[in-house]
Amino acid sequence: MSTTTVPELKQISREEAMRLGPGWSHSCHAMLYAANPGQLFGRIPMRFSVLMQMRFDGLLGFPGGFVDRRFWSLEDGLNRVLGLGLGGLRLTEADYLSSHLTEGPHRVVAHLYARQLTLEQLHAVEISAVHSRDHGLEVLGLVRVPLYTQKDRVGGFPNFLSNAFVSTAKYQLLFALKVLNMMPSEKLAEALASATEKQKKALEKLLPASS
């Protein structure tokens, strides 16, 4: 059995994040999701639909971006960015989910917001996004996260986790799925282990065999 665990970053409260000095940057992103009663091929439960987006740099992430705290509150700044990539959707402090300190040379605190919509509302967001200002430029399109694993233990969520994600987006996805009770921790760990193993095998195929 795999011993892979879901990675963790240092979590802080919203109040602690607001007390951080001017040397810190704030990024705000939104996870929009909906319960989905559908079944893939008539037998694999979809469970939920979660939106992420393909960025201009080829990386996957949640809608949102950096917020300049000199001019905007977290929510006003987030809604400004969402308006460019999604259309008229507006989030509030009630949608706030978490804040985490990122690793690396840049001092960034990553804020995540989450809102559950109906499946019809989620589809409306997808349609609106196609007509937003940034579509085809900074945002190359929305994608739904496949929250299921097929019989081969790779198809679906493990394959999705094998993609390249921007900054903390992959961690935020795993964190949100866990704390919102959308997927059990053991299932998250199993999917992550399968994705890691797939990436390892792919890398081995690319590297020349040792003599």
Side-chain angles (χ1 to χ4, degrees):
M1 183 176 295
S2 172
T3 58
T4 301
T5 58
V6 177
E8 295 185 359
L9 295 176
K10 182 178 180 181
Q11 185 175 2
I12 62 174
S13 69
R14 178 190 171 91
E15 291 71 24
E16 290 173 320
M18 293 300 92
R19 292 198 296 268
L20 293 174
W24 286 86
S25 298
H26 295 259
S27 68
C28 294
H29 293 84
M31 188 180 96
L32 306 176
Y33 66 101
N36 188 339
Q39 291 189 330
L40 179 65
F41 307 131
R43 56 183 173 80
I44 301 176
M46 305 292 287
R47 301 178 62 246
F48 291 95
S49 291
V50 175
L51 294 184
M52 297 191 78
Q53 64 185 18
M54 177 63 70
R55 294 158 37 99
F56 63 93
D57 52 11
L59 299 176
L60 288 168
F62 288 110
F66 281 97
V67 173
D68 192 333
R69 289 279 295 130
R70 295 174 300 173
F71 308 110
W72 307 93
S73 69
L74 293 180
E75 291 75 31
D76 285 343
L78 172 61
N79 286 322
R80 176 178 176 272
V81 179
L82 292 181
L84 300 177
L86 294 183
L89 183 74
R90 293 187 62 83
L91 300 187
T92 69
E93 187 175 339
D95 299 306
Y96 170 82
L97 184 65
S98 64
S99 298
H100 291 89
L101 301 181
T102 64
E103 299 176 342
H106 303 294
R107 306 175 77 188
V108 177
V109 55
H111 306 280
L112 182 64
Y113 292 72
R115 177 180 290 182
Q116 183 170 4
L117 307 173
T118 66
L119 198 56
E120 292 75 17
Q121 289 171 329
L122 195 80
H123 184 53
V125 170
E126 292 173 315
I127 295 174
S128 176
V130 175
H131 302 286
S132 67
R133 195 196 76 173
D134 283 348
H135 181 74
L137 298 170
E138 293 187 25
V139 179
L140 301 183
L142 293 174
V143 296
R144 294 191 184 189
V145 181
L147 294 182
Y148 51 81
T149 300
Q150 294 176 259
K151 287 185 177 180
D152 62 2
R153 301 180 65 183
V154 177
F157 194 45
N159 269 341
F160 186 82
L161 292 178
S162 299
N163 287 299
F165 294 78
V166 63
S167 186
T168 60
K170 185 175 182 178
Y171 168 78
Q172 288 177 316
L173 172 63
L174 296 171
F175 174 84
L177 293 177
K178 177 181 177 181
V179 301
L180 295 174
N181 297 315
M182 297 170 67
M183 186 178 291
S185 297
E186 59 271 19
K187 294 297 183 181
L188 289 171
E190 288 173 5
L192 188 61
S194 295
T196 302
E197 182 64 20
K198 177 187 175 182
Q199 291 171 323
K200 178 182 176 181
K201 290 181 178 180
L203 183 60
E204 290 174 347
K205 289 182 180 180
L206 291 174
L207 296 176
S210 57
S211 56

